[in-house]
Structures are given as structure tokens and as C-alpha cells.
Amino acid sequence: MPGFSTLPDLALRTLGGSVVAASDESFAEKESLIRPGRPGFQAETFGSKGQVYDGWETRRRRSPGHDWALVRLGVPGVIRGVVIDTSWFKGNYPPHARVEAASVEGHPSPAELEAAPWTEIVPRAELTGDSEHHFAVTDERRFTHVRLSIFPDGGVARLRVHGEARPDLSVYDGLGLDLAALANGALVTACSNEFYSAPNNAIAPGLARHQAEGWETARRRGDGNDWLVIRLAGRGVIGLAEIDTTNLLFNAPGAVSLTGLDGDREVELLPRTRLQPDTPHRFRLAHPDPVTHVRVDIYPDGGLARVRLHGHLATP
């Protein structure tokens, strides 16, 4: 898998993404493009529009032109790679596709988006059926929307837009925020183990519905402990830590500690503290100095549903 696939999917519905418009969705709805999880399929499942597909599918085009879908990223950012997934579309996939991106602030309408300047980030490329197609992106600009064009018509199961979040944090001026939230631009930059699930799950929006929506390590058989490092949304002072072990009944860590990092300086934010299974824990922190990263150590192994680090951005 390409390296960009480990970065967050900025278009994901659970991050706030939306398919705001499409040229056509006669056979299968556009919203499926950004649905979390792998696309599913059950053969010989027919509805009033034909075989049911977990994806976006347009009618057979009988006139010139091509089909398209406009996607608002859940979190604006720098796009590092795009995945166009045609899983289960075998005789009805589009033979070619192109992806463009735009930066439009505020809350634009579909008409305003269509009139905006667009930048091609994935040139028109050949597709095959029932396959994932990975395209690296080198443009360093920050984008808020993408447009998928398919030529001339057909079905796409998923569109993944992997990148680095660059949200507008000016709306929090004078206010507190979750400095560890992926939606605010935080990112897990290092991790000791991610055998069962990805560490960025621990800073994802909302509550984990089950174990797979958190971070869980393999069982540790040697010395030491597991850990992850979170790059905060910005350099800031943390006043409250939430360590959530919800859904982790028999594999929660026995304890946790938090260490703030700011350049070469390390500060103890939370000493090694006991945790309970299936429990949201809240700890007030009293360290007054700002940090840029936080190392979360769990002892000896296990999983965390969510990590929230509430505080204030430091004054430049």
C-alpha cells in the first residue's frame, strides 16, 4: 500500500464529509462514495432500479458529456493521495476518471462550487473493474472540496482522499478546543503497535461504537509498554485529558501516563495512573507550559477508544 494510505481520509463521512451534488445517481446514491468501511455486495439482490450496489452508480449515458460528483471534505487539508475504488463494479465501471480540487471558504452552494476555479490533482486515468486505484498527489496547496469525474458513466464504490488536515482554527480564538482532535488538525505521528486497529482512531470524531473504532495493540509478551505520539492541532496548554476505554472490557490497559513534548523539552502532564475497563476517564492537568506533541503511554498493552486533550492554543 502507498504511504499516503496511512493518513486520514479527509472526505470520510464520519469526519464531516459530504457529497454535495452529482450529475446523476439513478442506480445508486452518491453518498456511498464517502461511507466508512469496505464496500459490501450481495449477489442477486435486486431493487426497483436493478442490482443493489454499495457505491455511486449513474445511468447509461446516451448523450455527450460525462458524470461527476462534488465532495466537500470533512476537514480541509493538503491532499497526499486519492483512491478510486471500483469494488464489485465489474461490467458497469467507468473506463476513465479524473479528480480535481478547489479551495472555497465558507459554506458554498453547489452552483458556487461549479463556478469556482478547479485544479487537476489526478489527470484522466484508466480504471479497471472491481479494483482499488491509488494516485499520489504532489500539490502542496490546501483544498476544501474535490470533484470526481468519470468518463462517460458507471459506478464507483468509494472515493478516498488521504491527506494532512489544515482546518481553520481562527474560529477558536479566545476559546478552548480539543488539541488532540483529528478534525482540528492533530495527527498520530508515531506508534509502538497497531496490530488490531489504527492509532488515528483514538483521535477520531465522536464515540467509538465498538473495539475496532479505537486503537488496540497485540498482546505484549516482553518487557516495556505500548505508546503513541500525538502531534497537537497547534502548540498549546492542556488543561483536561480524557482517556476513554469504552468497549474495551478485557483488553483495556492497566494504567496510562501523558508526557508533553516541546522541542527537546519533556514535561510530565499525567503520572502513571490506574485505568478501569469500559470507562471514560477525565483528569485535570495543572502544567502551565505549552507543548506541541503528547506521548500517551499505556501499561503494558491493550487499547484506547478515544484520547481528548482539551486546552488553549498558545499565543504566538
Side-chain angles (χ1 to χ4, degrees):
M1 297 293 288
F4 67 73
S5 63
T6 62
L7 293 171
D9 177 5
L10 303 177
L12 200 63
R13 180 62 177 171
T14 49
L15 268 183
S18 175
V19 185
V20 298
S23 58
D24 183 86
E25 50 182 329
S26 296
F27 285 118
E29 67 272 12
K30 64 187 188 300
E31 286 78 15
S32 298
L33 278 173
I34 58 173
R35 186 178 293 160
R38 296 280 303 155
F41 183 78
Q42 184 174 346
E44 299 182 6
T45 303
F46 291 93
S48 59
K49 298 180 180 180
Q51 171 67 47
V52 175
Y53 282 94
D54 181 9
W56 168 54
E57 186 183 4
T58 70
R59 73 182 73 193
R60 299 186 188 220
R61 180 171 284 274
R62 304 304 189 196
S63 58
H66 66 275
D67 288 318
W68 50 265
L70 290 176
V71 177
R72 183 194 71 232
L73 300 181
V75 184
V78 178
I79 299 170
R80 300 301 186 191
V82 171
V83 181
I84 301 175
D85 185 354
T86 60
S87 289
W88 305 110
F89 290 98
K90 300 178 180 180
N92 49 355
Y93 64 92
H96 296 90
R98 178 183 68 207
V99 181
E100 299 161 286
S103 182
V104 185
E105 298 303 324
H107 309 93
S109 67
E112 290 169 330
L113 286 173
E114 288 190 50
W118 289 86
T119 299
E120 185 177 76
I121 59 172
V122 177
R124 180 166 169 160
E126 184 175 352
L127 302 182
T128 57
D130 197 24
S131 302
E132 289 187 1
H133 307 79
H134 300 83
F135 304 98
V137 176
T138 58
D139 199 305
E140 293 292 330
R141 284 173 287 182
R142 172 184 180 273
F143 294 112
T144 61
H145 296 75
V146 296
R147 177 165 62 193
L148 170 66
S149 295
I150 57 175
F151 302 90
D153 55 39
V156 175
R158 296 287 190 271
L159 175 68
R160 303 302 190 202
V161 184
H162 296 280
E164 299 171 19
R166 297 287 190 274
D168 177 13
L169 296 183
S170 65
V171 297
Y172 292 105
D173 286 350
L175 305 172
L177 74 158
D178 180 3
L179 293 166
L182 193 155
N184 289 336
L187 186 70
V188 174
T189 57
C191 176
S192 62
N193 185 279
E194 51 183 301
F195 185 86
Y196 286 111
S197 46
N200 273 310
N201 287 356
I203 60 173
L207 300 175
R209 296 172 297 177
H210 47 71
Q211 282 183 203
E213 291 192 350
W215 165 55
E216 185 184 356
T217 73
R219 299 192 187 205
R220 179 171 285 271
R221 301 307 188 189
D223 295 334
N225 66 280
D226 286 315
W227 51 267
L228 54 80
V229 175
I230 302 171
R231 185 194 70 203
L232 303 179
R235 189 168 183 260
V237 177
I238 302 168
L240 172 68
E242 296 187 31
I243 308 297
D244 187 1
T245 61
T246 297
N247 304 313
L248 296 152
L249 301 176
F250 307 106
N251 47 3
V256 67
S257 68
L258 302 177
T259 304
L261 309 172
D262 189 50
D264 295 331
R265 184 172 59 93
E266 293 189 5
V267 296
E268 184 181 74
L269 299 177
L270 180 72
R272 182 165 172 167
T273 302
R274 188 183 66 174
L275 295 179
Q276 296 295 334
D278 195 31
T279 301
H281 306 75
R282 296 177 178 86
F283 305 107
R284 289 297 298 263
L285 308 181
H287 201 286
D289 293 334
V291 296
T292 61
H293 296 69
V294 171
R295 175 178 168 127
V296 182
D297 284 276
I298 58 174
Y299 303 92
D301 55 24
L304 297 175
R306 292 290 186 268
V307 175
R308 306 296 189 206
L309 301 173
H310 301 280
H312 292 81
L313 291 169
T315 303

